[in-house]
Amino acid sequence: MAKDRSTRRPKAETPRGFRDYFGAEVTERKAMLDRIAEVYHLYGFDPLETSAVETVEALGKFLPDVDRPNEGVFAWEEDNDWLALRYDLTAPLARVAAQYRNDLPSPYRRYAMGPVWRNEKPGPGRFRQFYQCDADTVGAPSVAADAEICAMLSDTLESVGIPRGDYIVRVNNRKVLNGVMEAAGVLDPADPTRWEAERGIVLRAIDKIDRLGDTGVRALLGAGRKDESGDFTKGAGLSDDQAEVVMGFMAAKRDSGAATVGRLRELIGGSAIGLEGVQELETIADLLAAQGYGPDRVDIDPSVVRGLGYYTGPVFEAELTFEILDEKGRKRQFGSVSGGGRYDDLVKRFTGQAVPATGVSIGVDRLLAALREKGRMGAETRGPVIVTVMDRDRMADYQAMVGELRAAGIRAEVYLGNPKNFGNQLKYADKRNSPVAIIQGGDEAAKGIVQIKDLVLGAKIASEASLEEWKSQPAQFEAPRGDLVAQVRRLLNEG
Amino acid sequence: MAKDRSTRRPKAETPRGFRDYFGAEVTERKAMLDRIAEVYHLYGFDPLETSAVETVEALGKFLPDVDRPNEGVFAWEEDNDWLALRYDLTAPLARVAAQYRNDLPSPYRRYAMGPVWRNEKPGPGRFRQFYQCDADTVGAPSVAADAEICAMLSDTLESVGIPRGDYIVRVNNRKVLNGVMEAAGVLDPADPTRWEAERGIVLRAIDKIDRLGDTGVRALLGAGRKDESGDFTKGAGLSDDQAEVVMGFMAAKRDSGAATVGRLRELIGGSAIGLEGVQELETIADLLAAQGYGPDRVDIDPSVVRGLGYYTGPVFEAELTFEILDEKGRKRQFGSVSGGGRYDDLVKRFTGQAVPATGVSIGVDRLLAALREKGRMGAETRGPVIVTVMDRDRMADYQAMVGELRAAGIRAEVYLGNPKNFGNQLKYADKRNSPVAIIQGGDEAAKGIVQIKDLVLGAKIASEASLEEWKSQPAQFEAPRGDLVAQVRRLLNEG
């Protein structure tokens, strides 16, 4: 009977691919998001909070399918409608921009922060629920909006604690890449569908430059490439001259934005779309320079290609440039923590009208990891002051003590477990990382005093102090009951 | 063709029963939750954030069923597991307390705030996603933990802006009610399953006292009650003497906690469980009195019955006592914004071991509504300063202006829509609720000045001012470019 029962007990488990966040993990993320929201607010952005649930129809991209309706998203059927958890914050924004188009100001600047869900195979460090933090401007055709987002991203990184010099916001333009494709003879403005497969291979090759190096990319631009395992990847079939144009594009970065733009202008030849892209980059560089955002903070960099397929104009990416040790102990740059760009077609899905939009998304968990790496998380990990219980009939006295401490703004609590074993009370204080414990038995109460135990010093003494030090600086001392708050405050200020 | 396409467009709609929150709706809730978290933190509670998704097995209560797996929750099948969105914050806490029982401090004080989801029929003001904000102590058997939660609830309400006198935390005890049932002869301690149906009817009758009054409740305690429509509800079948005991319980409230406790002690007769409950209430009243929480803030009140089925000991409820006008224009008290109590069996589901727990949940939306009713929401509804664009070639100059304003901590933005129609720029400023607009055409630039438009004063003049006032206090004036920040700051401080 007892066994039967135990087999029917539910398992106490976080679902696979999800996780729980405790204490400082919650407050540190909150502190970071609060600082980001302050910057977004200062730039005139308004908060928007949509619900976690959208219709699959509005989310788009992941259409329900009889066999696998859940591909990529968590979805379920509800009154003949498919509902799903949002997979990012951009799709809900597109829905909102269409739904409230007559009521929202235009341009509409909004920021959003919150969890998103992906129905993907979980892996180490990859979770199926994670935070995003986005800012977008909908309805602003001018690249001044893109420049503003880049400046804001720079301000945001500094505001959360990434010092200038430890990050760079890199800017490129999808149109320039198209211009280069045209110059290389794999894009025909009169027939944009021609050479689509070749351009796909070129894009994927460019995206692999960090991993494959020049030689590998060149092989993929030409006949193809055989990897270490012997597998062959078919190339784009470009001639050497054509490949040279593409390689030149990736090497077009110069010391100043103006010089880089000049080099790009040469590379795109007579391409109209390329020229438009170059001019947009030039405007962005000028606007940023006029506001004092030099290439040490925001830089034109043709090697930014990530996510290009999604965007229609300027694209940007924030990289942290300081080095960390990877899991194999090798030095490497921390890398990207944010990306974005202009996407002019998302709202059109709903209304049929193109609405220009540009925005940025910050990878909350990666930025948090970077701040922890830099020791820039100031969140309090110190636990509360613990008032121990020596005599359970005098609970009111102990509650009065914590009441006084709290009134003075000091985090404090009475031990509320079974007080019988005093050792357990101190173990609890240790587990809570408490800086101070207060002790008052019947004798102390009669004398009008309390024992104050400095747990920080106590731990230090236990691990390293000499007897002399211990004598000169005892970790526990008595104080008049009336001095409780003052003495605790003194210890906390020292700690 | 065009028509075909438009019919295939997705609908831009918030799913039924969900809603979007804009601007101040987001920041006001956040400000309130931040203040609540501060109080919880001060009391030694640590934040916990579990994921939105739980296994249906861990959630319990709503078991998957082949026909209606989604009853009450949003659920879907995933790799042979049923997953669901959490419907409250207590079920995930029970799961966490079981899962991490060897690592968490004991007692474990945690707070949690975030959305929960209910798969219910949406109605006016009833949404399928809403916020909860909970604080619970797991592993503290002493009613000192319950008293602490009541004191904290009182502090929390005052901290968010409900003044003392406008709320009352009312405390009762499930055990006292059982004692009364025993005294009334509908509970046999030797056979607790006997008279279960009768006790159910008594509980439901008590719960209806506000609506049915004494006569209606008395009828339900006895033979039964016929309502206005002629429908008959079967009663508990209590004799007049039995009913008298129950009615006496509901009228047991006295002017002081001690007097109420004394009256309850009489009513429960020789019931052991009742006596236990009365002693617990007495301890709670004593602890709170010793900390200065008198009956003007926390009061013993036997009429608190809400949710009693769920709890095993003390129960509490915070009510706002100020009057508002209901939808029919009648005065009524604002009512309950928070409730909680002791539930000693939730963790047992997982581990087989009873773990004492007590906690409180604040109805975030109702408390927000109350604060708005009292005019206590201080969130900024003022929009950013708008720098208008008179000459799109001088975008860098305009960006420099907002850069200076932001550096001075003033929320500001350049108009980024199409600048051709100046009227649209002012309409935009109006829609954003902007206090100030900055104007600088070529002439002003050449003279080194800017025009500063006081939009708050402008709106006032437009609606009420005389010509004299207009002349003496113009809503638009020019200032040297170098004085931009100082002049804007002056206007904002006046506004």
Side-chain angles (χ1 to χ4, degrees):
Chain A
M1 173 77 183
K3 205 178 171 196
D4 253 4
R5 278 182 174 235
S6 79
T7 54
R8 264 186 276 119
R9 270 185 214 138
K11 279 196 223 99
E13 278 177 9
T14 320
R16 209 168 55 92
F18 293 89
R19 56 161 297 194
D20 304 301
Y21 296 84
F22 292 90
E25 292 173 331
V26 178
T27 49
E28 287 181 354
R29 181 174 55 207
K30 183 180 179 307
M32 189 184 83
L33 292 176
D34 282 357
R35 281 196 287 270
I36 295 174
E38 266 172 38
V39 178
Y40 288 177
H41 176 81
L42 197 61
Y43 270 79
F45 287 71
D46 269 347
L48 167 68
E49 190 173 322
T50 59
S51 64
V53 178
E54 296 277 347
T55 64
V56 167
E57 183 190 2
L59 279 185
K61 198 172 165 186
F62 303 92
L63 293 172
D65 150 316
V66 179
D67 290 337
R68 281 199 60 103
N70 301 355
E71 188 69 62
V73 296
F74 291 106
W76 62 91
E77 200 172 6
E78 200 67 52
D79 303 333
N80 304 318
D81 241 356
W82 277 92
L83 298 179
L85 294 177
R86 64 182 179 207
Y87 58 86
D88 72 2
L89 299 172
T90 310
L93 171 63
R95 194 260 302 155
V96 163
Q99 182 173 348
Y100 303 91
R101 62 188 177 283
N102 297 324
D103 304 314
L104 290 173
S106 178
Y108 177 48
R109 283 173 158 95
R110 86 89 181 78
Y111 70 85
M113 27 190 72
V116 301
W117 293 265
R118 301 271 169 93
N119 193 354
E120 289 168 352
K121 223 187 163 79
R126 275 171 65 92
F127 295 100
R128 309 211 283 178
Q129 171 177 329
F130 54 92
Y131 267 73
Q132 286 196 337
C133 171
D134 287 19
D136 294 80
T137 303
V138 179
S142 154
V143 292
D146 303 275
E148 179 180 82
I149 296 248
C150 291
M152 185 167 78
L153 182 53
S154 164
D155 285 7
T156 300
L157 292 173
E158 292 184 21
S159 163
V160 300
I162 305 288
R164 203 171 295 184
D166 269 355
Y167 73 90
I168 185 81
V169 177
R170 305 189 300 154
V171 187
N172 194 6
N173 195 312
R174 164 97 216 235
K175 292 174 184 169
V176 175
L177 185 62
N178 281 338
V180 170
M181 296 276 199
E182 206 181 321
V186 283
L187 174 63
D188 177 359
D191 180 6
T193 58
R194 201 175 164 196
W195 296 314
E196 233 168 20
E198 284 79 3
R199 286 200 300 279
I201 297 173
V202 170
L203 266 176
R204 286 191 293 279
I206 293 178
D207 212 14
K208 289 177 184 154
I209 183 88
D210 282 348
R211 197 157 55 80
L212 304 184
D214 275 17
T215 321
V217 172
R218 236 173 221 281
L220 284 172
L221 294 179
R225 176 176 176 273
K226 191 182 277 188
D227 68 17
E228 301 83 53
S229 71
D231 285 348
F232 184 76
T233 308
K234 189 171 170 285
L238 269 57
S239 71
D240 282 357
D241 284 356
Q242 288 180 305
E244 197 55 46
V245 177
V246 175
M247 297 304 294
F249 168 73
M250 281 184 287
K253 174 94 180 67
R254 295 292 178 268
D255 281 344
S256 76
T260 305
V261 166
R263 175 69 187 132
L264 288 173
R265 198 183 295 273
E266 293 166 19
L267 284 168
I268 48 119
S271 163
I273 186 79
L275 186 61
E276 206 179 294
V278 168
Q279 280 166 346
E280 288 181 3
L281 279 181
E282 201 163 25
T283 305
I284 290 173
D286 287 350
L287 283 171
L288 288 168
Q291 292 168 74
Y293 294 86
D296 57 326
R297 290 198 273 172
V298 188
D299 201 9
I300 306 295
D301 188 336
S303 72
V304 177
V305 288
R306 172 188 108 137
L308 269 172
Y310 178 74
Y311 297 111
T312 55
V315 286
F316 22 88
E317 181 171 86
E319 259 187 55
L320 304 190
T321 51
F322 60 84
E323 288 182 329
I324 54 162
L325 297 179
D326 68 11
E327 56 284 1
K328 290 180 182 160
R330 290 172 306 205
K331 275 189 184 177
R332 63 166 185 84
Q333 289 206 340
F334 190 90
S336 174
V337 291
S338 174
R342 178 165 287 272
Y343 52 98
D344 284 348
D345 294 331
L346 276 184
V347 180
K348 198 177 179 180
R349 286 183 58 231
F350 295 102
T351 62
Q353 284 186 303
V355 176
T358 183
V360 69
S361 183
I362 290 178
V364 173
D365 294 318
R366 279 190 57 77
L367 186 53
L368 258 179
L371 292 169
R372 287 186 186 124
E373 190 75 38
K374 296 291 275 183
R376 293 295 166 97
M377 284 314 314
E380 185 189 82
T381 54
R382 194 158 75 175
V385 171
I386 305 293
V387 174
T388 59
V389 175
M390 300 298 283
D391 177 356
R392 67 171 84 197
D393 292 338
R394 289 197 305 106
M395 189 56 90
D397 294 349
Y398 302 129
Q399 293 285 9
M401 292 181 198
V402 292
E404 285 169 35
L405 289 166
R406 288 171 189 154
I410 297 167
R411 192 181 187 206
E413 56 169 77
V414 174
Y415 179 74
L416 286 181
N418 187 335
K420 221 158 129 188
N421 182 331
F422 189 70
N424 280 348
Q425 300 198 44
L426 290 183
K427 269 185 215 153
Y428 173 81
D430 186 49
K431 204 153 199 172
R432 292 300 304 278
N433 200 20
S434 298
V436 176
I438 309 298
I439 304 161
Q440 191 195 51
D443 290 353
E444 282 96 355
K447 283 194 271 175
I449 59 163
V450 288
Q451 296 283 345
I452 298 178
K453 205 172 167 70
D454 181 339
L455 300 172
V456 179
L457 181 62
K460 209 175 147 200
I461 287 173
S463 67
E464 61 190 48
S466 68
L467 186 62
E468 289 312 302
E469 284 170 311
W470 188 87
K471 275 184 185 164
S472 68
Q473 222 186 347
Q476 182 173 330
F477 59 94
E478 50 176 65
R481 170 67 181 81
D483 292 353
L484 172 67
V485 171
Q487 290 288 352
V488 170
R489 183 181 280 135
R490 182 182 60 77
L491 284 183
L492 294 181
N493 289 342
E494 283 171 6
Chain B
M1 173 76 186
K3 205 177 168 195
D4 252 4
R5 277 182 172 233
S6 79
T7 54
R8 264 187 274 116
R9 271 184 214 140
K11 279 196 222 96
E13 278 176 7
T14 320
R16 209 170 53 93
F18 292 89
R19 56 162 295 193
D20 303 302
Y21 296 85
F22 293 89
E25 293 173 331
V26 178
T27 47
E28 287 180 354
R29 181 174 56 207
K30 182 178 180 308
M32 188 184 83
L33 292 177
D34 282 357
R35 281 197 286 271
I36 295 174
E38 266 172 38
V39 178
Y40 288 177
H41 177 81
L42 197 60
Y43 270 78
F45 286 71
D46 268 348
L48 167 67
E49 190 173 321
T50 59
S51 64
V53 178
E54 295 278 344
T55 64
V56 167
E57 183 189 3
L59 278 185
K61 196 173 165 186
F62 303 92
L63 292 172
D65 149 315
V66 180
D67 290 334
R68 282 199 58 103
N70 301 354
E71 189 69 64
V73 295
F74 291 106
W76 62 92
E77 201 171 6
E78 199 67 50
D79 303 333
N80 304 319
D81 241 356
W82 277 92
L83 298 180
L85 294 177
R86 65 183 178 204
Y87 59 85
D88 73 2
L89 300 172
T90 309
L93 170 63
R95 192 260 302 157
V96 164
Q99 182 173 347
Y100 302 92
R101 62 189 177 281
N102 298 326
D103 303 313
L104 290 174
S106 178
Y108 177 47
R109 284 173 159 95
R110 87 87 180 79
Y111 70 85
M113 27 189 72
V116 301
W117 293 265
R118 301 271 169 93
N119 192 355
E120 289 168 353
K121 223 186 166 74
R126 275 172 66 94
F127 296 99
R128 308 211 282 179
Q129 172 177 330
F130 55 92
Y131 267 73
Q132 287 195 337
C133 172
D134 288 19
D136 294 80
T137 303
V138 178
S142 155
V143 292
D146 303 274
E148 179 180 82
I149 296 248
C150 292
M152 185 168 78
L153 183 53
S154 164
D155 285 7
T156 300
L157 293 173
E158 292 183 22
S159 163
V160 299
I162 305 290
R164 203 170 296 183
D166 269 356
Y167 73 89
I168 186 81
V169 177
R170 305 189 301 154
V171 187
N172 195 6
N173 195 311
R174 165 97 214 233
K175 292 174 184 169
V176 175
L177 185 62
N178 281 337
V180 171
M181 295 277 202
E182 204 180 322
V186 283
L187 174 64
D188 177 359
D191 180 5
T193 59
R194 202 176 162 194
W195 297 312
E196 232 167 22
E198 284 80 1
R199 286 200 301 278
I201 297 173
V202 170
L203 265 177
R204 286 191 294 278
I206 293 177
D207 213 12
K208 288 177 187 155
I209 183 86
D210 282 348
R211 195 158 55 80
L212 303 184
D214 274 19
T215 321
V217 172
R218 233 173 225 280
L220 283 173
L221 294 178
R225 177 177 176 272
K226 193 182 277 188
D227 68 16
E228 300 83 52
S229 71
D231 284 349
F232 184 77
T233 308
K234 189 171 171 283
L238 270 57
S239 71
D240 281 358
D241 284 357
Q242 288 180 306
E244 197 55 46
V245 176
V246 175
M247 296 304 295
F249 168 72
M250 280 184 287
K253 174 94 178 67
R254 296 291 178 269
D255 282 343
S256 76
T260 305
V261 166
R263 175 67 186 134
L264 288 173
R265 197 184 294 273
E266 293 167 18
L267 284 168
I268 47 113
S271 163
I273 185 82
L275 185 61
E276 207 179 293
V278 167
Q279 280 165 346
E280 287 182 4
L281 280 182
E282 200 162 27
T283 306
I284 290 173
D286 287 350
L287 283 171
L288 288 167
Q291 290 167 75
Y293 293 86
D296 57 327
R297 291 197 273 172
V298 188
D299 202 11
I300 306 295
D301 188 337
S303 72
V304 177
V305 289
R306 170 188 108 136
L308 269 173
Y310 179 74
Y311 296 111
T312 55
V315 287
F316 22 89
E317 182 169 85
E319 258 187 55
L320 304 189
T321 50
F322 60 84
E323 287 182 332
I324 54 163
L325 296 179
D326 68 12
E327 57 284 2
K328 290 181 182 160
R330 289 170 308 203
K331 276 188 183 178
R332 62 167 186 83
Q333 290 206 341
F334 191 91
S336 174
V337 291
S338 174
R342 179 165 285 273
Y343 52 98
D344 284 346
D345 294 330
L346 277 184
V347 181
K348 197 177 180 181
R349 285 184 59 230
F350 296 101
T351 61
Q353 284 186 306
V355 176
T358 183
V360 69
S361 183
I362 289 178
V364 172
D365 295 317
R366 278 190 58 77
L367 186 53
L368 258 179
L371 292 169
R372 287 187 186 124
E373 190 75 40
K374 295 293 274 183
R376 294 295 166 99
M377 284 314 313
E380 185 189 80
T381 54
R382 196 157 74 175
V385 171
I386 304 293
V387 174
T388 59
V389 176
M390 300 296 286
D391 177 357
R392 67 171 84 196
D393 292 338
R394 291 197 303 106
M395 190 56 92
D397 294 349
Y398 302 129
Q399 293 284 9
M401 292 181 199
V402 292
E404 287 168 34
L405 289 166
R406 288 171 190 154
I410 296 169
R411 192 180 186 206
E413 57 170 76
V414 174
Y415 180 74
L416 286 180
N418 187 334
K420 223 159 125 187
N421 181 332
F422 189 68
N424 280 348
Q425 300 200 43
L426 291 183
K427 269 185 216 153
Y428 173 81
D430 187 49
K431 204 154 199 173
R432 291 301 304 276
N433 199 22
S434 298
V436 176
I438 310 297
I439 303 162
Q440 192 195 53
D443 290 354
E444 283 97 354
K447 283 193 271 177
I449 59 163
V450 288
Q451 296 284 345
I452 297 178
K453 205 172 167 68
D454 181 341
L455 300 172
V456 179
L457 181 62
K460 209 176 147 198
I461 286 173
S463 68
E464 61 189 50
S466 67
L467 187 63
E468 290 310 304
E469 284 171 310
W470 188 88
K471 276 184 184 164
S472 68
Q473 223 185 345
Q476 184 173 328
F477 60 94
E478 48 178 67
R481 169 69 181 80
D483 293 352
L484 173 67
V485 170
Q487 290 289 352
V488 170
R489 182 181 280 136
R490 182 182 60 77
L491 284 183
L492 294 179
N493 289 342
E494 281 171 7

Short mmCIF file of all heavy atoms in Angstrom, two decimals, chain B residues 164-192:
data_model
loop_
_atom_site.label_atom_id
_atom_site.label_comp_id
_atom_site.label_asym_id
_atom_site.label_seq_id
_atom_site.Cartn_x
_atom_site.Cartn_y
_atom_site.Cartn_z
N ARG B 164 -2.52 54.03 6.14
CA ARG B 164 -3.09 53.34 7.29
C ARG B 164 -4.52 53.86 7.51
O ARG B 164 -4.76 55.05 7.39
CB ARG B 164 -2.23 53.63 8.53
CG ARG B 164 -2.36 52.58 9.61
CD ARG B 164 -1.32 52.78 10.69
NE ARG B 164 0.05 52.59 10.18
CZ ARG B 164 1.13 52.65 10.96
NH1 ARG B 164 0.99 52.92 12.26
NH2 ARG B 164 2.33 52.48 10.46
N GLY B 165 -5.43 52.97 7.78
CA GLY B 165 -6.83 53.38 7.92
C GLY B 165 -7.63 53.05 6.68
O GLY B 165 -8.85 52.94 6.72
N ASP B 166 -6.93 52.91 5.56
CA ASP B 166 -7.62 52.58 4.31
C ASP B 166 -7.55 51.08 3.99
O ASP B 166 -8.00 50.66 2.93
CB ASP B 166 -7.02 53.36 3.13
CG ASP B 166 -7.72 54.69 2.93
OD1 ASP B 166 -8.71 54.94 3.66
OD2 ASP B 166 -7.30 55.47 2.05
N TYR B 167 -6.95 50.32 4.90
CA TYR B 167 -6.88 48.88 4.68
C TYR B 167 -6.97 48.17 6.01
O TYR B 167 -6.75 48.78 7.07
CB TYR B 167 -5.57 48.48 3.97
CG TYR B 167 -4.39 48.56 4.89
CD1 TYR B 167 -4.00 47.46 5.66
CD2 TYR B 167 -3.69 49.75 5.04
CE1 TYR B 167 -2.95 47.55 6.55
CE2 TYR B 167 -2.63 49.84 5.93
CZ TYR B 167 -2.26 48.74 6.68
OH TYR B 167 -1.22 48.83 7.57
N ILE B 168 -7.27 46.89 5.97
CA ILE B 168 -7.22 46.07 7.18
C ILE B 168 -6.82 44.66 6.77
O ILE B 168 -7.29 44.13 5.76
CB ILE B 168 -8.57 46.08 7.94
CG1 ILE B 168 -8.47 45.33 9.27
CG2 ILE B 168 -9.71 45.49 7.11
CD1 ILE B 168 -7.87 46.18 10.35
N VAL B 169 -5.85 44.09 7.50
CA VAL B 169 -5.50 42.68 7.29
C VAL B 169 -6.29 41.88 8.32
O VAL B 169 -6.14 42.09 9.53
CB VAL B 169 -3.98 42.45 7.47
CG1 VAL B 169 -3.66 40.96 7.31
CG2 VAL B 169 -3.19 43.28 6.48
N ARG B 170 -7.17 41.01 7.84
CA ARG B 170 -8.02 40.24 8.74
C ARG B 170 -7.51 38.79 8.83
O ARG B 170 -7.16 38.20 7.82
CB ARG B 170 -9.47 40.27 8.24
CG ARG B 170 -9.96 41.72 8.05
CD ARG B 170 -11.44 41.80 7.75
NE ARG B 170 -11.82 41.06 6.55
CZ ARG B 170 -13.02 40.55 6.34
NH1 ARG B 170 -13.96 40.68 7.27
NH2 ARG B 170 -13.29 39.92 5.23
N VAL B 171 -7.49 38.27 10.05
CA VAL B 171 -6.91 36.95 10.29
C VAL B 171 -7.94 36.03 10.92
O VAL B 171 -8.68 36.43 11.82
CB VAL B 171 -5.70 37.05 11.25
CG1 VAL B 171 -4.99 35.71 11.36
CG2 VAL B 171 -4.75 38.13 10.80
N ASN B 172 -8.01 34.81 10.44
CA ASN B 172 -8.86 33.80 11.04
C ASN B 172 -8.07 32.49 11.08
O ASN B 172 -6.88 32.47 10.71
CB ASN B 172 -10.15 33.64 10.22
CG ASN B 172 -11.23 32.88 10.99
OD1 ASN B 172 -11.07 32.55 12.16
ND2 ASN B 172 -12.32 32.59 10.30
N ASN B 173 -8.70 31.42 11.50
CA ASN B 173 -7.99 30.14 11.55
C ASN B 173 -8.95 29.00 11.20
O ASN B 173 -10.02 28.88 11.78
CB ASN B 173 -7.40 29.93 12.95
CG ASN B 173 -6.36 28.82 12.96
OD1 ASN B 173 -6.60 27.73 12.45
ND2 ASN B 173 -5.19 29.11 13.52
N ARG B 174 -8.51 28.23 10.26
CA ARG B 174 -9.29 27.09 9.80
C ARG B 174 -9.62 26.12 10.95
O ARG B 174 -10.70 25.53 10.99
CB ARG B 174 -8.45 26.37 8.74
CG ARG B 174 -8.90 24.98 8.38
CD ARG B 174 -9.74 25.05 7.15
NE ARG B 174 -10.77 24.06 7.17
CZ ARG B 174 -11.00 23.16 6.22
NH1 ARG B 174 -10.24 23.16 5.16
NH2 ARG B 174 -11.98 22.31 6.31
N LYS B 175 -8.70 26.00 11.89
CA LYS B 175 -8.91 25.06 13.01
C LYS B 175 -10.05 25.53 13.91
O LYS B 175 -10.77 24.73 14.49
CB LYS B 175 -7.63 24.90 13.82
CG LYS B 175 -6.52 24.19 13.06
CD LYS B 175 -5.23 24.19 13.86
CE LYS B 175 -4.10 23.56 13.05
NZ LYS B 175 -2.78 23.79 13.71
N VAL B 176 -10.19 26.86 14.05
CA VAL B 176 -11.29 27.39 14.86
C VAL B 176 -12.62 27.02 14.22
O VAL B 176 -13.57 26.60 14.88
CB VAL B 176 -11.16 28.92 15.00
CG1 VAL B 176 -12.37 29.49 15.74
CG2 VAL B 176 -9.87 29.28 15.72
N LEU B 177 -12.67 27.14 12.91
CA LEU B 177 -13.90 26.79 12.20
C LEU B 177 -14.22 25.31 12.41
O LEU B 177 -15.38 24.94 12.65
CB LEU B 177 -13.75 27.11 10.71
CG LEU B 177 -15.02 26.89 9.88
CD1 LEU B 177 -16.14 27.81 10.34
CD2 LEU B 177 -14.74 27.12 8.40
N ASN B 178 -13.18 24.47 12.37
CA ASN B 178 -13.41 23.05 12.63
C ASN B 178 -13.91 22.84 14.05
O ASN B 178 -14.77 21.99 14.30
CB ASN B 178 -12.13 22.25 12.40
CG ASN B 178 -11.90 21.98 10.92
OD1 ASN B 178 -12.85 22.01 10.13
ND2 ASN B 178 -10.66 21.76 10.54
N GLY B 179 -13.37 23.63 14.99
CA GLY B 179 -13.82 23.54 16.38
C GLY B 179 -15.29 23.90 16.50
O GLY B 179 -16.06 23.25 17.22
N VAL B 180 -15.70 24.93 15.77
CA VAL B 180 -17.10 25.34 15.79
C VAL B 180 -17.97 24.24 15.19
O VAL B 180 -19.05 23.94 15.71
CB VAL B 180 -17.27 26.68 15.04
CG1 VAL B 180 -18.75 27.01 14.85
CG2 VAL B 180 -16.56 27.79 15.78
N MET B 181 -17.49 23.63 14.12
CA MET B 181 -18.22 22.53 13.50
C MET B 181 -18.41 21.40 14.52
O MET B 181 -19.48 20.80 14.62
CB MET B 181 -17.44 21.97 12.30
CG MET B 181 -17.28 22.97 11.16
SD MET B 181 -18.73 23.04 10.07
CE MET B 181 -17.96 23.73 8.60
N GLU B 182 -17.34 21.16 15.29
CA GLU B 182 -17.41 20.11 16.30
C GLU B 182 -18.44 20.49 17.37
O GLU B 182 -19.29 19.67 17.75
CB GLU B 182 -16.01 19.94 16.92
CG GLU B 182 -15.78 18.56 17.52
CD GLU B 182 -14.38 18.44 18.13
OE1 GLU B 182 -13.41 18.98 17.55
OE2 GLU B 182 -14.27 17.80 19.20
N ALA B 183 -18.37 21.75 17.83
CA ALA B 183 -19.30 22.21 18.86
C ALA B 183 -20.75 22.16 18.35
O ALA B 183 -21.68 21.90 19.11
CB ALA B 183 -18.94 23.63 19.29
N ALA B 184 -20.90 22.40 17.04
CA ALA B 184 -22.26 22.38 16.47
C ALA B 184 -22.70 20.95 16.14
O ALA B 184 -23.82 20.74 15.68
CB ALA B 184 -22.29 23.23 15.20
N GLY B 185 -21.82 19.99 16.34
CA GLY B 185 -22.19 18.60 16.12
C GLY B 185 -22.20 18.18 14.65
O GLY B 185 -22.93 17.28 14.26
N VAL B 186 -21.40 18.82 13.80
CA VAL B 186 -21.28 18.35 12.41
C VAL B 186 -19.84 17.93 12.10
O VAL B 186 -19.45 17.84 10.94
CB VAL B 186 -21.77 19.40 11.37
CG1 VAL B 186 -23.29 19.43 11.34
CG2 VAL B 186 -21.20 20.78 11.67
N LEU B 187 -19.03 17.76 13.15
CA LEU B 187 -17.70 17.20 12.95
C LEU B 187 -17.40 16.26 14.12
O LEU B 187 -17.52 16.66 15.28
CB LEU B 187 -16.62 18.31 12.88
CG LEU B 187 -15.17 17.83 12.82
CD1 LEU B 187 -14.88 17.04 11.55
CD2 LEU B 187 -14.21 19.03 12.90
N ASP B 188 -17.07 15.04 13.78
CA ASP B 188 -16.75 14.03 14.79
C ASP B 188 -15.26 13.74 14.70
O ASP B 188 -14.81 13.13 13.73
CB ASP B 188 -17.57 12.76 14.50
CG ASP B 188 -17.24 11.64 15.48
OD1 ASP B 188 -16.39 11.84 16.37
OD2 ASP B 188 -17.84 10.56 15.33
N PRO B 189 -14.46 14.19 15.69
CA PRO B 189 -13.01 14.01 15.61
C PRO B 189 -12.63 12.54 15.45
O PRO B 189 -11.59 12.22 14.86
CB PRO B 189 -12.49 14.56 16.94
CG PRO B 189 -13.60 15.35 17.53
CD PRO B 189 -14.88 14.84 16.95
N ALA B 190 -13.47 11.65 15.93
CA ALA B 190 -13.17 10.22 15.83
C ALA B 190 -13.46 9.68 14.43
O ALA B 190 -12.96 8.62 14.05
CB ALA B 190 -13.99 9.43 16.87
N ASP B 191 -14.26 10.40 13.67
CA ASP B 191 -14.59 9.96 12.31
C ASP B 191 -14.75 11.19 11.40
O ASP B 191 -15.86 11.63 11.11
CB ASP B 191 -15.89 9.13 12.33
CG ASP B 191 -16.27 8.67 10.92
OD1 ASP B 191 -15.49 8.90 9.98
OD2 ASP B 191 -17.36 8.08 10.77
N PRO B 192 -13.61 11.75 10.97
CA PRO B 192 -13.64 13.05 10.28
C PRO B 192 -14.39 13.00 8.93
O PRO B 192 -14.73 14.05 8.40
CB PRO B 192 -12.16 13.37 10.04
CG PRO B 192 -11.40 12.45 10.94
CD PRO B 192 -12.24 11.24 11.12
#
